[in-house]
Amino acid sequence: MAKIIDGKKISTEIKEECKTVVTQLKEKGKEVCLAVVQVGADPASSVYVRNKTRACEYVGMLSRTYELPEETTQEELLTLVNELNYDDGVDGILVQLPLPKHINEDVITQSILPEKDVDGFHNQNVGALVTGQEGFISCTPAGIIELLKRSNIEIEGKHCVVVGRSNIVGKPMALLLLKENGTVTICHSKTKNLKEITKQADILIAAIGKPKFFDDSYIREGAVVIDVGIHRSGNNKLCGDVDFEKVESKVSAITPVPGGVGPMTIAMLMYNCIKAVQRRVQ
């Protein structure tokens, strides 16, 4: 029977650890503050922003939410980001993606000071990850590493297959697994014989963005499967990139959707905000 990797439980453990550190910082007179900027009223983005605000409350952090109208110009958004960059009361800045089409996401993410870029998207933080230096790591891949470690799943020496090459998940995920001494293969939309490669995986990271794409024919017996996808199925139920019902009986461990990777992303965001403060007060 497969071990269900409980992201809710593990994320709560991390938030409790964060809460302890936040309390210690408060005793030294330092509040931790995250600023979240949302442009437009995308329903999914609104849910994520609410969840981030709740997580801040849970760990005792301050949160500032800026809800800007859809027609906000790129220059107006850059002005706000710049104000937050030089606001000593703000430790982390997060601009919720996606942004409206008239705003260049790359320009905005690169305008956030690297030391306040708690999403880990700035080129300086990405470069730090590549070269093994200190920096902020994208929250989803960082959360997946925590899921594996806290579930006592060995990464060293294992064949880790990452399906997806996005800057937010796929690429940093591969680098983090490599840092943990995994042997890493990256697959993507142009990969030939995908099924043959995924069937070799000891650890499969499914971040392809297609609902229930991976059934049992893609999975090796006893593999560990981490499902990064989140979709609404035909009957409006949440599902991932993996067909959980078909795969569960074949694997040794698997993350569910919901309740797997999702909660970890927000927990690691809290962790990054605290790290931002600790670096500054050292």
Side-chain angles (χ1 to χ4, degrees):
M1 189 66 184
K3 174 180 182 175
I4 307 300
I5 300 172
D6 190 343
K8 276 188 180 175
K9 179 174 174 287
I10 295 171
S11 69
T12 301
E13 287 171 9
I14 293 169
K15 285 189 287 187
E16 287 294 336
E17 291 163 13
C18 289
K19 189 189 283 189
T20 300
V21 180
V22 168
T23 302
Q24 290 166 351
L25 287 166
K26 280 181 181 174
E27 287 166 359
K28 295 175 184 173
K30 178 61 193 167
E31 292 273 10
V32 185
C33 178
L34 169 68
V36 180
V37 182
Q38 181 182 357
V39 184
D42 176 74
S45 291
S46 296
V47 170
Y48 290 138
V49 169
R50 267 200 311 277
N51 288 342
K52 286 162 187 169
T53 304
R54 284 184 194 137
C56 285
E57 287 172 9
Y58 184 88
V59 303
M61 282 168 42
L62 299 174
S63 65
R64 295 194 207 168
T65 303
Y66 298 83
E67 296 174 339
L68 307 181
E70 184 88 18
E71 58 272 16
T72 299
T73 66
Q74 182 164 298
E75 289 67 31
E76 288 169 333
L77 181 54
L78 283 169
T79 299
L80 173 58
V81 169
N82 198 48
E83 287 171 5
L84 296 171
N85 275 336
Y86 296 100
D87 185 336
D88 288 338
V90 173
D91 302 295
I93 303 168
L94 185 152
V95 177
Q96 183 65 44
L97 304 180
L99 289 167
K101 287 187 169 56
H102 65 277
I103 298 176
N104 185 316
E105 289 185 356
D106 194 48
V107 169
I108 301 303
T109 54
Q110 299 310 308
S111 72
I112 299 170
L113 285 176
E115 59 266 30
K116 292 193 177 187
D117 166 43
V118 288
D119 250 341
F121 294 165
H122 193 283
N123 288 344
Q124 186 173 312
N125 284 318
V126 175
L129 174 59
V130 173
T131 55
Q133 305 301 310
E134 186 72 20
F136 290 115
I137 299 166
S138 298
C139 298
T140 300
I144 290 168
I145 293 294
E146 287 297 315
L147 279 179
L148 292 169
K149 285 184 171 181
R150 291 175 186 241
S151 301
N152 299 313
I153 294 166
E154 185 75 32
I155 301 170
E156 184 170 332
K158 297 293 176 66
H159 186 189
C160 307
V161 176
V162 180
V163 187
R165 54 177 168 179
S166 72
N167 292 334
I168 295 172
V169 179
K171 290 175 187 173
M173 188 75 251
L175 288 164
L176 286 173
L177 290 165
L178 195 60
K179 187 180 175 186
E180 297 295 331
N181 298 315
T183 300
V184 183
T185 300
I186 306 172
C187 299
H188 45 79
S189 58
K190 306 297 182 191
T191 298
K192 293 178 179 175
N193 305 319
L194 177 63
K195 193 175 285 190
E196 281 72 12
I197 297 169
T198 60
K199 283 169 81 170
Q200 296 171 31
D202 299 310
I203 300 172
L204 175 67
I205 312 290
I208 202 169
K210 296 180 180 178
K212 296 190 177 185
F213 180 87
F214 296 98
D215 62 18
D216 54 333
S217 67
Y218 283 85
I219 314 293
R220 183 181 69 74
E221 192 83 37
V224 173
V225 175
I226 305 293
D227 191 348
V228 184
I230 186 154
H231 316 275
R232 289 274 176 194
S233 63
N235 57 3
N236 208 34
K237 280 186 72 177
L238 286 173
C239 67
D241 289 355
V242 177
D243 192 327
F244 186 91
E245 286 73 22
K246 290 184 179 175
V247 167
E248 184 189 6
S249 61
K250 195 171 185 179
V251 299
S252 61
I254 186 169
T255 56
V257 177
V261 172
M264 295 299 295
T265 301
I266 292 176
M268 297 313 293
L269 176 65
M270 302 297 105
Y271 174 85
N272 278 353
C273 285
I274 291 166
K275 198 156 80 165
V277 177
Q278 289 173 325
R279 283 185 189 159
R280 257 206 313 284
V281 299
Q282 275 175 358

